[in-house]
Every structure is written in structure tokens, then in C-alpha cells.
Amino acid sequence: MPIIKGITKKKLLGLIILSPTIVALGIFVYIFIGWTTRVSFSNWNSFTALLKGEYKFVGFSNYLKLFSDPRFQTDLWNTLYFTIFFIGGCLTIGIILALLIDRGLKGSRIFQNIFLFPMAVSFVVTGTVWSWIFAPGNFPKNPQGLNLLLGLFGLESLQWKWYTSTFSIFNFNVALIPVIIAAIWQLSGYTMAMYLAGLRGIPEQLIEAAKVDGATDWQVLWKVKLPMLRPITLSAMIILGHMSLKIFALVYSMTGSGPNNVTDVPAIYMFESTFRSNKYATGSAIAIIMLIMVAVIMIPYLYYALRREVTR
Amino acid sequence: MKKLLVLSVFLLAGLMVLSASGKLEIFSWWTAGGEEDALFALYDVFHENYPDVEIINATVAGGAGTNAKAVLKTRMLGGNPPDSFQVHAGAELNDTYVVTGLMEPITPFLKEWGIMDKFPKDVLDICSYEGEVYSVPVNIHRGNVMFYSKEIIEDVGIETIPTTWPEFIDALKKIEDAGYIPLSLGDKNKWTATHLFESVLLGLLGPYQYNGLWDGRVSFENEGVKKALEVFKELMNYVNEDHSALAWQDATRLLYEKQAAFNVMGDWAEGYLKTLGWKPEENFGWMALPSTRGSFMIVSDTFGLPKNAPNRSNAIRWLKVISSVEGQDAFNPIKGSIPARIDANPELYDVYLRWSMEDFKTNALCPSIAHGSAAPEAFATALNDIINRFIATGNVDEAWNSIIEAAEENL
């Protein structure tokens, strides 16, 4: 029975139940995104300008300035390389661990929990601990952390500057490697859990059928399991990808910006411009650029996922 | 039973109302060992005078207050100021909060308490904007000091402590040859490198020209700025390899661990060395940075009175306590800084601090960039970035140009 034309009672009830969420989302997410966008086009680059609140539209000048800023350019390169290696590493280690656990060897449940555990640790803790591990010390005389360990085993030649190195190749700052390792350590267990769920969802018959047809274990893996896991890989890439594009706490607590910004990321620059330099417009512009980067990978995924649900 | 419940609810509500009338929220970033103890000593003095006021100790951890400042800004912007907050004297307060009209001038109170002449005029000038004082300095730290390990200096055979840059560089070479780190630095948080640079800059420009940078008398195109960059670059050859992995404490600790000879840091490092168990003059010595003798780079923590402070009258009482001799002498010996008042009791302070008090009375006073007194935070942050980059590239002209640009944009 339609109350207003086209709206049934059931639909109306749904709308009423959902409305607090819609309102809250609308205000705290979308209106704030809109506000940030507005600030990013303004001249609010000092505390005084912000408090006076006299809005002066300056077009894209905050954005143009950012893209010609060497620090921001470094940030974008760092984000790119960090994302690639971080996602690649997590997926590789995640699937290997999942396959090992899935074989159901004795004690695999314990290892499953051990591998998953780092995810329960906060990024700040991970960052602090790994910054001690990779602190180079003044090697070879007074090495620290990993360098100390290498020295004990007589591997002095492997001692390295780790995250204090300013060396870079194809704009890849090698100082990022320790940070990437720490990030992979934290999230490969999570990726494993996702793959494990995926593996357990593969119907037994498929694998049996392949085996009956004479497929080796290796062929079963490549021709049956991995193709079946493709949606999981996609989801994992999206989840890890949006984390790496927004990464802040891990880098901030582990290395900070590093010498010559070798481990700097946009989020740190955003924080410093907004809350240290009082450059609110610049900070907002960085926020919007980060949002666009995340949106570029999120929107196609959401579109794909939603459409799949509809066709179901 | 029900009655009892109702009664207790009423009692509880009554208690809450009572205590709300006597609160005082003090915002600071003093959370580390000695700092926190010093703050609590101040609270004790306050409680002796006003036993009924409950102090809310609002602190946000983080060296040089970098995190606390972000929290404070959000609170001030949102119209939710603490009753009084820690802020570095000078631009950090004026440029951010005074110009924007968020602070109340406190000159009338200082006059009422008769203490306008108890602080050096230069210090009150730094705390002032357009003739009105906006904050009370509790302490004075010195920025341009260098601490050294007596053991290493003797070991290497340096008899007189160098007072000029060429002599100092010679000494650094000697120390390096002996296998020690000549100069320890920990610039993971960037500002420590700026701290070193500003001290070098002060030495090469001299106090008169250095202070002129901030009132427009002197331009950053002055050759002295370039020379300072060159000296700084030379110094970087003598610092520990892992400087960008360390915080200032780690760098100071290298002296204690007998790895490094010299460390340039504000004299909070002296307090840190003492907590490690070292004794001034016995284990470590100090000096003003080469060619900065006669200049005193001040880093001063102050407290002001925000407009719309929820407990304004308690906030004024707080300002009175911290500006008293009693308050300053309770706080500073523990904090490892000297009182901003000139009539404090020197007996309470250790040998280093007495030396510093003597210099404070006679030297030219200069505001620090790294610690927010000299220039707006936007300039200090930009300079942090420039120096951070300069350490990696070593390109003097590029850094000089960037500094000039940053000054044009932010000063």
C-alpha cells in the first residue's frame, strides 16, 4: 500500500531506520570532504587567515605549489614504491603461509594464530620496535640492532645504514626497505587469514576432480586454487592498498621523514603543514590528493562489488 | 534502600558541583622524568597557597611540544581553551594566538603584583605584543651551549677548550683521529639540526645582527647566513653516521657512553646527563658555542591567559604563583633551567646553572628559531625542512636561496 506515490510502508520504515546513519555519514564524511575541498582552494595558510575566516578563492594555486615542491614529489614516489612492495610482499607471504597452514599439519592452528598476531599490535608499537631493530648505530665500531647481530655472526660486510641511507635508484629511496619490511610483518598475517578463508571456501569436488584427471599438486595449485582465489587477491589488494596510501603512524613512529625526506609520506607532510606550519589550505590540498589516490582504487572495486551483488 | 540510593545520587551531584567551582586546567608537554617532577613541584606550591583548587594536569607527550601544540591549536580554534597553557615565549605565542585576539594581556596583573621590574626587560619584550605582556616566563633555558665529555677531551689531549670555529674544527679532527665521534647529533625529529644551525648562525652574525633578522634590520641575504651554512656543512663531516636515527636524548647519551666528545643541545641536556648519573664539572664540561660567547640564546617556557578561560580567577592565581620567587625556585632546580626572575636564590642551583645565571644577567639575549621564539612556526618548519635537505645535499647556494624564499614568504 503506497503511502506517498512510489514509496511503500516497508521502504519508508527502512528509510527511517537508516536515517541516523545517513545523516551522520552525510555530515561527518561527505560534508567534511566538501569542506576540506573548499579549504584547499582558499588562502587559509596562516592561523590569522583561518580565524578571520575571510574566504579568498585562490584556484589551484595550493595544488600547483605542492606539485612543484620537491618534498611532495619525493612523497609521491615514496608512496608509489611503498605501495607496490608492500602489497606484493603481503600477498606473496600471505599466500605461502595460507597454503602451508591449509595442509593441516600438526600445530598449524598455533602458527595460524602466531602469524595473525602482529595485526593486533598497533602501528606505533610496530614502528618503535622496528626502528630499534634497524637502528644502524655507528657501525662497525658501535653497531646496534640488526647490525650488532650481523657483527656477532661475523657478517660485517652486510652491515648497512638501513633507514638512514639517502641512496636512491629510479627515485626509489632504499631507506624505505626497513619500513616496508615492518609493514609486511604487520599485515602479511592478515592477508594469510583472508587467503585461508578463501582456500577453505574452494569446493572439495573441484580439487578431487582435478586429481582424478591426473593433475599434480603443483597443477592443482596453479590451475584450480589460485584462479579460485582471484577475488580474495583483489579484496586484499584494495584493503592493503588503501592502508599504504594513507600510511602515517608506522612511518611517523619508526623513521619520521628521514634525511632529505627519504621516508616521508604525504600523510606526514599533511600533518606538518596543517598543525605545525598552520598552512591549513596546503594541508587540505594534500588531504584531497590522498583522497583521490584512494578513490582511484576504491571506486572501481566498489562498482564491481556492487554490480556483482545485484546480478546475484 | 531506594531512599539511600536517591540520597547518594544527590550527594554525588553535590560533590561534583562543589569541585567544579575550584578547578584549574594546566596544559603542557612536560611528561618526561625531571620535567614532570618540576611541574608537580609547581603544583605543590600552588596547593600550599590554594588548597581547595583541584588541578587538572593536561599533558601531551612529545619533545619540543610538537604534538602538544597540535592538540592545543585544535582546542583554541574550537573555543575550548585550557585555563593556562605552556608556550614558548615570542612568536609561537604572539603570531598564533595574540595577533588573532585569543589571549588576554596580563600587564595589569604584573603591575598589581609589582613584578614588572623583576624580569629582564629583554625577556618581557619577547613575551609582549604592541606594548602589552601576554605571558609569564617560568624558566630560561640556554640554546647555544655545547657539552663535552671530560674523559675523552683529556684522553685526546685537548688542553684548552676552543673558542673559535677554526680551533674547534681542529679539535674535532683530533678527536676523530683518536677514534671517537667528534660531535654527536640526533636529528630524527629535524629540529635538533635547526638548533645547531641557529647557534652557528648566531655566532657568525653576532647578537645584534642576529636579532636584526627578526625586526627587519637585517636581511637573510646577509653573507653571514651563507657563511653559517658553510660552517654547518663542515661540522656535518664530524657527526655520527646514524644521526638521522636518533633523538636528542640518544645523541646526548653518546657522551655518557664514551662514544662521542661534544654535543650541541640546549641545557635541558645537562638535566638529562645528571639523571644518567653524571656530575657537572666532574664528568662533563660545557661552553658557549664558538664565537657565541656573550650571547645567550634563550628558550623560555611561559604561561598565558587565554580569553574565555573556564576558570579565569584560578588561572590568574596560577600566573601569580609561577611568577613568584617561591614558584620559580621550586620549579627550576628540578627542571634544570634557570629562573626568569633576576632575584631568585642562586644557592639552590648547581654549578652549571649558576654559570648560566651569571651569563643571563650580562649577555645579549637572542630568541631561538627552533624553539619558536624568533619567528612564526611556518618559518621554523620551513627551515627544518631546508636544513634537513641541506644535510643530505650539501648545496650551500640552494639552501641559502631557500632560506631567503622562506623568509620572504613567512616573516
Side-chain angles (χ1 to χ4, degrees), chain A residues 39-66:
Chain A
V39 174
S40 74
F41 289 113
S42 77
N43 62 333
W44 291 355
N45 269 329
S46 75
F47 211 65
T48 325
L50 180 74
L51 269 182
K52 277 187 189 155
E54 285 161 8
Y55 189 85
K56 204 178 133 210
F57 182 78
V58 295
F60 280 94
S61 81
N62 290 317
Y63 290 89
L64 291 176
K65 236 183 175 169
L66 270 178

Side-chain angles (χ1 to χ4, degrees), chain B residues 296 338 342-344 346 356-363 365:
Chain B
F296 194 108
I338 63 171
I342 43 179
D343 55 351
S356 177
M357 282 164 103
E358 218 30 66
D359 272 9
F360 181 62
K361 275 182 201 154
T362 53
N363 283 0
L365 304 182

Side-chain angles (χ1 to χ4, degrees), chain B residues 38-86:
Chain B
L39 181 63
F40 289 162
L42 256 185
Y43 289 170
D44 287 343
V45 177
F46 187 86
H47 279 309
E48 273 164 33
N49 290 295
Y50 309 100
D52 294 333
V53 177
E54 184 200 341
I55 298 180
I56 303 164
N57 183 34
T59 51
V60 178
T66 42
N67 302 330
K69 287 177 202 167
V71 175
L72 180 66
K73 266 173 214 164
T74 316
R75 288 190 59 173
M76 294 293 279
L77 268 177
N80 172 30
D83 294 313
S84 188
F85 57 85
Q86 176 192 4

Side-chain angles (χ1 to χ4, degrees), chain A residues 47 71 141 254 260 275 278, chain B residues 73 96 179 188 385 388:
Chain A
F47 211 65
R71 177 169 176 184
K141 207 176 159 212
M254 186 168 167
N260 200 13
F275 292 109
N278 298 337
Chain B
K73 266 173 214 164
T96 310
K188 182 178 174 186
D385 267 355
N388 179 278

Side-chain angles (χ1 to χ4, degrees), chain A residues 179-201:
Chain A
V179 187
I180 293 169
I181 291 175
I184 292 176
W185 176 84
Q186 175 130 34
L187 282 156
S188 54
Y190 174 66
T191 322
M192 173 205 73
M194 286 182 80
Y195 274 128
L196 213 48
L199 281 172
R200 306 227 157 120

Side-chain angles (χ1 to χ4, degrees), chain A:
Chain A
M1 180 79 82
I3 294 174
I4 309 165
K5 203 180 167 191
I7 297 178
T8 59
K9 215 175 181 179
K10 206 174 159 192
K11 265 192 180 167
L12 192 71
L13 189 70
L15 210 65
I16 289 170
I17 292 171
L18 277 179
S19 59
T21 319
I22 292 173
V23 170
L25 266 181
I27 293 174
F28 292 110
V29 178
Y30 295 99
I31 290 190
F32 281 4
I33 289 176
W35 183 256
T36 308
T37 316
R38 183 170 177 263
V39 174
S40 74
F41 289 113
S42 77
N43 62 333
W44 291 355
N45 269 329
S46 75
F47 211 65
T48 325
L50 180 74
L51 269 182
K52 277 187 189 155
E54 285 161 8
Y55 189 85
K56 204 178 133 210
F57 182 78
V58 295
F60 280 94
S61 81
N62 290 317
Y63 290 89
L64 291 176
K65 236 183 175 169
L66 270 178
F67 282 108
S68 60
D69 179 346
R71 177 169 176 184
F72 192 66
Q73 289 166 1
T74 313
D75 288 356
L76 291 179
W77 282 113
N78 285 349
T79 306
L80 178 75
Y81 281 111
F82 181 87
T83 306
I84 291 173
F85 290 119
F86 168 65
I87 295 182
C90 279
L91 292 181
T92 317
I93 294 177
I95 189 123
I96 291 173
L97 292 180
L99 288 170
L100 287 176
I101 300 272
D102 193 46
R103 301 186 71 156
L105 297 175
K106 210 175 168 195
S108 64
R109 279 304 283 265
I110 297 172
F111 279 101
Q112 183 183 339
N113 289 322
I114 290 176
F115 294 146
L116 195 56
F117 200 65
M119 201 186 84
V121 179
S122 94
F123 266 137
V124 176
V125 177
T126 312
T128 309
V129 173
W130 283 92
S131 82
W132 293 334
I133 294 175
F134 283 114
N138 290 293
F139 63 91
K141 207 176 159 212
N142 287 300
Q144 275 177 25
L146 197 56
N147 279 349
L148 182 67
L149 198 68
L150 291 170
L152 289 178
F153 287 114
L155 298 166
E156 277 91 357
S157 56
L158 290 180
Q159 288 180 341
W160 191 51
K161 293 171 79 174
W162 301 114
Y163 59 78
T164 63
S165 163
T166 50
F167 180 73
S168 93
I169 177 166
F170 295 115
N171 288 312
F172 171 54
N173 294 309
V174 290
L176 277 174
I177 293 172
V179 187
I180 293 169
I181 291 175
I184 292 176
W185 176 84
Q186 175 130 34
L187 282 156
S188 54
Y190 174 66
T191 322
M192 173 205 73
M194 286 182 80
Y195 274 128
L196 213 48
L199 281 172
R200 306 227 157 120
I202 298 175
E204 241 354 90
Q205 308 94 295
L206 282 178
I207 296 166
E208 299 274 309
K211 280 188 180 158
V212 168
D213 287 343
T216 60
D217 276 359
W218 197 242
Q219 279 170 325
V220 170
L221 174 66
W222 280 106
K223 304 265 154 124
V224 183
K225 287 184 178 173
L226 287 185
M228 291 294 285
L229 287 175
R230 218 175 272 155
I232 305 277
T233 307
L234 185 65
S235 302
M237 279 173 77
I238 301 294
I239 291 168
L240 298 172
H242 93 278
M243 275 179 167
S244 81
L245 291 175
K246 298 189 302 191
I247 193 122
F248 174 80
L250 177 75
V251 187
Y252 194 69
S253 56
M254 186 168 167
T255 61
S257 302
N260 200 13
N261 299 318
V262 284
T263 58
D264 201 40
V265 288
I268 294 183
Y269 195 21
M270 173 178 79
F271 174 72
E272 285 191 354
S273 4
T274 315
F275 292 109
R276 296 221 178 128
S277 318
N278 298 337
K279 299 199 168 175
Y280 295 87
T282 309
S284 303
I286 299 174
I288 293 300
I289 294 170
M290 283 168 64
L291 179 75
I292 291 173
M293 291 195 303
V294 175
V296 163
I297 64 164
M298 282 305 262
I299 288 174
Y301 172 72
L302 289 178
Y303 182 73
Y304 164 81
L306 282 176
R307 210 181 47 178
R308 209 173 43 165
E309 249 163 51
V310 169
T311 49
R312 249 180 220 172

